Amino acid sequence: MLLEKVYGELRDMWMVESQYEFSRFWLGQSRSYMSCAKARKRPPSLLVLMRLSQRLASISAKYAAVATTEVEKANCRKLHELNCMVGEAVGQQAA
């Protein structure tokens, strides 16, 4: 599931601590959204994907402006890659 992959990557980069936080901050949904979507095996809506893409693009741009270490630069690249993955999913749903 795309959301689980994005959540796992963000957690590995220490950009999110919990599914609750991911649901609220990154997806703009209720705090139980992620756990419910996983339990029901429901794919994310187009709106959720678009919000996630916007958030990833915004954070990536801000991060890129201040990234100085190799770890920060790698995280910036990872955010961009995640945004590309989400963007592909948006394109598939919109088609």
Side-chain angles (χ1 to χ4, degrees):
M1 178 180 182
L2 176 62
L3 294 183
E4 289 180 88
K5 169 127 178 87
V6 173
Y7 168 70
E9 294 287 345
L10 292 173
R11 190 186 63 230
D12 290 347
M13 290 187 288
W14 295 94
M15 299 190 96
V16 68
E17 291 184 18
S18 67
Q19 288 184 15
Y20 292 149
E21 181 184 350
F22 181 70
S23 295
R24 294 291 297 147
F25 180 79
W26 293 91
L27 305 179
Q29 299 295 309
S30 71
R31 57 186 239 140
S32 62
Y33 180 86
M34 182 72 169
S35 60
C36 289
K38 281 174 41 178
R40 296 177 182 157
K41 295 181 174 41
R42 184 183 317 163
S45 69
L46 182 57
L47 178 62
V48 166
L49 291 174
M50 290 173 64
R51 283 182 182 156
L52 177 58
S53 179
Q54 284 181 320
R55 182 65 72 186
L56 286 167
S58 174
I59 299 296
S60 177
K62 289 175 184 175
Y63 208 103
V66 297
T68 55
T69 68
E70 287 305 312
V71 170
E72 291 171 335
K73 291 175 183 177
N75 284 348
C76 189
R77 285 190 297 274
K78 179 53 81 174
L79 287 170
H80 179 72
E81 290 170 17
L82 292 173
N83 192 30
C84 288
M85 286 174 36
V86 173
E88 288 177 20
V90 167
Q92 290 173 355
Q93 278 202 13

